[in-house]
Amino acid sequence: MKFSFSVASLLISGASAFVVQQQPPNMHQGSMMKTNTALQAVSKKDSYDVTLLPGDGIGPEITAATKEALAALCTRFGFEMNLKEALIGGAAIDAANDPFPQESLDQCLASDSVLLACIGGYKWDTNPRELRPETGLLKMRKEMGLFANLRPAKVLPQLIEASTLKREVVEGVDVMVVRELTGDVYFGTPKGIDVVDGQRVGYNNMIYSESEIDRIARVAGDVASKRGGKLCSVDKANVLDVSQLWRDVVTDVITKDFSDVELSHMYVDNAAMQLIRWPKQFDTIVCGNIFGDILSDEASMLVGSLGMLPSASIGESGPGVFEPCHGSAPDIAGEDKANPLAMILSAAMMLQYDLDRPEEAQLLEKAVEAVLDQGIRTPDIKQEGDGCKLVGCKEMGEAVAKLVAEIDMPAEVEV
């Protein structure tokens, strides 16, 4: 697959909606079946069912702004998007005493795609583990089989001064972090807090199987082959047995099935340092769940604000979940200060990769670029003395929607 660049071709830069599909037996790695990555989206149609998960904090505000932009898009292109909200996170705990109720899961699974805002907040931080918003997010990923998370970090010319790093360090940065999402220490068992010899002992299990590593390595290999052809696998193989297995399997997959990709390995502590020291050395990064959780947030901040970056979580079948990289920002919730652009760009990813609407996706991306070109800024990307207009979340959504209705289509859409 090949896609033309625009502001948010920061998104995947040519990668498909990577869904691992089982192929006829082609055995390697002992008895493990070989898998292949391929585009899997619903066929283009006149009406789509999309589940919205507004979640917590600023979630309802950025969801409202995104709905406005999508409404303008549907009007212009003559198709329908049936947007139905469901509960997740703290809102679900308050309403149903469950961070991701079965009703929400069933609705997500029955949808063509899922658009998530954000979850969490101080209100629920002291709840028991099973009644915390993050538990609902983990449940959604596990139950929907969302094993791969794709997080782009591309520095935009319009916002280069918003980065806390020097221009010469971040100018031209375009990194994709491919994070495994349903394994590792977040899901490993046994886990818990027990009393041993009179004191509490907490423990988790950092665990991966060959097949889990194999399928994320194939996603990463496919991404890298359609970007710059470089893949850096991050681990801690010098001290962790699970990381040694990770390194062995990734090496085997990439060298055998992605010979055009230049593979390197880096310990996670060095990777964290190198992302700040010289981020332009990276093209595509693949890592396990906990390392990816940390490094993807670090990479995202290279661009100056998490409020600009979308992400996609995908699985072997069924709908994907598209969400901004940022959190729920409870400190500014309800104050009309949130930046909705990351969620709008997440909606563009959804259109591109789940709904088979590449033209509409590129127009939405172009509208975001045009808003930035017009000097419209939310507080998180506003710089002192930049001459730009400061707006709130609602007005930013309205500005994008207006441009969706007015601007010309991109000259070329390649698929």
Side-chain angles (χ1 to χ4, degrees):
M1 304 294 292
K2 182 182 179 185
F3 304 102
S4 298
F5 275 91
S6 67
V7 61
S9 286
L10 65 91
L11 300 182
I12 300 293
S13 296
S16 314
F18 307 94
V19 178
V20 174
Q21 298 178 322
Q22 297 295 336
Q23 301 295 321
N26 183 359
M27 309 303 285
H28 78 298
Q29 299 259 16
S31 61
M32 186 169 57
M33 180 174 287
K34 182 178 178 181
T35 56
N36 182 47
T37 53
L39 178 65
Q40 175 119 3
V42 299
S43 298
K44 186 174 182 179
K45 53 185 180 178
D46 294 330
S47 180
Y48 302 89
D49 293 323
V50 174
T51 292
L52 289 179
L53 300 171
D56 309 317
I58 62 172
E61 298 169 70
I62 62 175
T63 298
T66 302
K67 287 170 67 175
E68 186 153 357
L70 287 174
L73 195 72
C74 289
T75 298
R76 176 163 180 174
F77 286 90
F79 68 100
E80 293 183 357
M81 202 175 283
N82 304 311
L83 304 174
K84 184 179 179 182
E85 295 188 2
L87 294 170
I88 193 173
I93 294 169
D94 290 347
N97 202 40
D98 186 335
F100 191 53
Q102 186 64 41
E103 182 180 354
S104 295
L105 174 60
D106 292 343
Q107 182 179 316
C108 289
L109 291 172
S111 300
D112 293 314
S113 193
V114 178
L115 193 57
L116 167 66
C118 46
I119 57 100
Y122 312 127
K123 177 180 179 180
W124 306 281
D125 281 351
T126 58
N127 282 10
R129 180 71 59 192
E130 67 273 11
L131 289 177
R132 292 188 187 179
E134 296 77 12
T135 301
L137 189 63
L138 294 178
K139 178 182 176 183
M140 179 187 70
R141 291 170 179 170
K142 196 71 173 180
E143 294 296 325
M144 295 183 67
L146 305 172
F147 73 89
N149 180 246
L150 311 176
R151 281 195 176 191
K154 181 173 181 177
V155 175
L156 307 178
Q158 300 97 326
L159 299 178
I160 196 166
E161 299 303 327
S163 176
T164 54
L165 299 180
K166 295 178 180 179
R167 172 182 285 268
E168 58 266 29
V169 173
V170 297
E171 191 169 25
V173 165
D174 181 3
V175 180
M176 174 65 72
V177 179
V178 180
R179 169 189 171 192
E180 201 286 326
L181 211 54
T182 57
D184 209 341
V185 71
Y186 292 167
F187 291 94
T189 56
K191 61 181 179 180
I193 300 176
D194 293 337
V195 176
V196 179
D197 296 331
Q199 65 175 337
R200 288 181 297 165
V201 176
Y203 53 95
N204 292 85
N205 189 14
M206 194 176 202
I207 184 169
Y208 270 116
S209 66
E210 276 188 281
S211 59
E212 289 175 316
I213 303 169
D214 180 275
R215 66 181 182 178
I216 195 66
R218 293 183 184 284
V219 171
D222 202 1
V223 173
S225 68
K226 293 164 181 171
R227 286 172 49 87
K230 292 172 59 180
L231 176 63
C232 179
S233 176
V234 174
D235 58 44
K236 194 63 175 169
N238 56 335
V239 293
L240 295 175
D241 291 336
V242 64
S243 277
Q244 186 60 58
L245 177 65
W246 176 281
R247 181 173 291 208
D248 292 345
V249 175
V250 170
T251 299
D252 187 60
V253 169
I254 300 303
T255 55
K256 287 183 178 179
D257 296 324
F258 297 91
S259 57
D260 58 329
V261 172
E262 178 187 335
L263 175 65
S264 62
H265 299 276
M266 191 175 289
Y267 297 141
V268 63
D269 45 351
N270 187 30
M273 182 270 288
Q274 294 292 340
L275 269 173
I276 299 301
R277 189 188 73 83
W278 195 242
K280 282 182 275 193
Q281 68 184 280
F282 296 104
D283 176 67
T284 304
I285 297 172
V286 62
C287 40
N289 206 343
I290 190 169
F291 296 159
D293 191 1
I294 297 164
L295 293 181
S296 60
D297 273 8
E298 181 186 2
S300 298
M301 280 310 298
L302 296 171
V303 310
S305 174
L306 281 168
M308 287 301 303
L309 296 178
S311 74
S313 298
I314 56 155
E316 295 184 3
S317 62
V321 174
F322 300 83
E323 61 181 301
C325 291
H326 59 71
S328 64
D331 53 321
I332 61 169
E335 298 182 10
D336 195 35
K337 293 180 179 179
N339 183 349
L341 294 182
M343 189 166 182
I344 292 172
L345 290 173
S346 296
M349 292 184 78
M350 174 185 70
L351 288 158
Q352 180 84 64
Y353 304 118
D354 251 8
L355 305 186
D356 195 21
R357 290 271 178 175
E359 292 183 4
E360 291 84 346
Q362 288 206 10
L363 183 69
L364 194 54
E365 296 165 10
K366 187 179 178 183
V368 170
E369 183 175 18
V371 159
L372 297 175
D373 286 340
Q374 289 181 356
I376 299 174
R377 302 286 189 270
T378 46
D380 61 308
I381 53 175
K382 180 76 168 67
Q383 300 295 302
E384 185 177 353
D386 60 8
C388 294
K389 178 183 178 182
L390 180 64
V391 301
C393 180
K394 186 175 186 296
E395 188 173 348
M396 180 64 89
E398 291 170 347
V400 173
K402 184 174 185 292
L403 285 164
V404 165
E406 295 177 351
I407 60 176
D408 294 334
M409 280 292 297
E412 184 180 12
V413 177
E414 297 181 39
V415 294

